Amino acid sequence: MKKIFPAIAFWLLSGYGLLAQAKGDENVPTGNAGDAGVALSFSGNVMKSTCDIHFQSDILIIDSVRLSIFTGPGSESADKWPLLLFVDNCENSAQTNDTLKLTFGAFNPDGTVSPGAFTNQAVDQNNTRINNGVGFAVYDIRDNKNVLTSAGISREISYAVDARHPMNQSREFYVKYMQTSTPVTSGPVEAILTVSANYE
């Protein structure tokens, strides 16, 4: 049986940090419009979260970096910042040989881009997006692979769950700056990411 976890949204902020906040999916409505023009009906599904997903802390400081480190799209900062993800407080215990699957996404529709980065979503004082050619990349520490493909689409990241690898152990990632386009200019870099998970 597949069990769905709540999604998590978090912000990556240059010079400010990484803010994590759980977003539950207890109410997932789907709408069906009536065809008479006067009737409108909605159907929905109430789901109970089976586990909690959270990070090791609410804020992870992402230090500033120099423009000179970027040499072209796909180039990255040498520095990286650890990110720990936890899945715990499960109502139903995972069975032997279960598999935990994580996928990463972006809060905004245009939030991911080739070569595998979460785009800068910072805005200026006029509420206009700042496109300074830099975003963030997130990597799985087990294989140092980007959680996104080179096309900017999430990979499915799997973990075996068994007696030696319990559900509530930490899942380790790290974050780097990544150049997404040219030219690169100075300024804030912010991204809102989501993580969703299920196990079966």
Side-chain angles (χ1 to χ4, degrees):
M1 174 194 299
K2 181 179 286 189
K3 301 170 180 71
I4 305 298
F5 296 148
I8 296 217
F10 55 94
W11 287 273
L12 290 173
L13 306 173
S14 63
Y16 301 98
L18 177 118
L19 176 65
Q21 180 178 2
K23 285 177 59 179
D25 63 349
E26 283 83 4
N27 296 297
V28 185
T30 58
N32 296 314
D35 58 5
V38 293
L40 183 64
S41 63
F42 292 92
S43 62
N45 183 21
V46 177
M47 298 174 60
K48 187 161 190 170
S49 301
T50 58
C51 295
D52 294 331
I53 308 174
H54 60 92
F55 295 99
Q56 79 274 23
S57 64
D58 288 341
I59 297 176
L60 172 67
I61 300 299
I62 305 294
D63 299 322
S64 298
V65 294
R66 297 182 183 201
L67 288 177
S68 59
I69 70 168
F70 299 111
T71 58
S75 60
E76 301 173 319
S77 61
D79 291 334
K80 56 188 178 184
W81 294 266
L83 175 65
L84 298 180
L85 182 69
F86 293 91
V87 178
D88 53 24
N89 298 322
C90 296
E91 294 177 5
N92 299 316
S93 298
Q95 303 299 312
T96 302
N97 299 323
D98 278 355
T99 302
L100 171 67
K101 297 179 180 179
L102 303 177
T103 54
F104 284 74
F107 186 78
N108 294 318
D110 60 349
T112 61
V113 68
S114 174
F118 295 92
T119 59
N120 187 4
Q121 301 293 315
V123 295
D124 62 18
Q125 63 272 14
N126 299 317
N127 209 33
T128 301
R129 276 268 304 277
I130 298 171
N131 182 9
N132 57 358
V134 179
F136 295 105
V138 177
Y139 290 87
D140 184 341
I141 201 167
R142 296 174 302 169
D143 56 12
N144 295 309
K145 287 187 178 177
N146 194 327
V147 300
L148 300 179
T149 67
S150 60
I153 300 167
S154 180
R155 295 189 299 120
E156 186 175 74
I157 301 163
S158 298
Y159 298 87
V161 177
D162 54 33
R164 289 184 359 163
H165 306 94
M167 181 70 77
N168 63 353
Q169 74 180 29
S170 63
R171 317 296 170 182
E172 298 182 56
F173 300 90
Y174 59 88
V175 180
K176 288 184 164 192
Y177 286 96
M178 178 183 277
Q179 182 176 345
T180 58
S181 62
T182 55
V184 173
T185 57
S186 61
V189 183
E190 302 177 8
I192 304 176
L193 284 63
T194 62
V195 179
S196 59
N198 66 67
Y199 70 91
E200 53 189 25

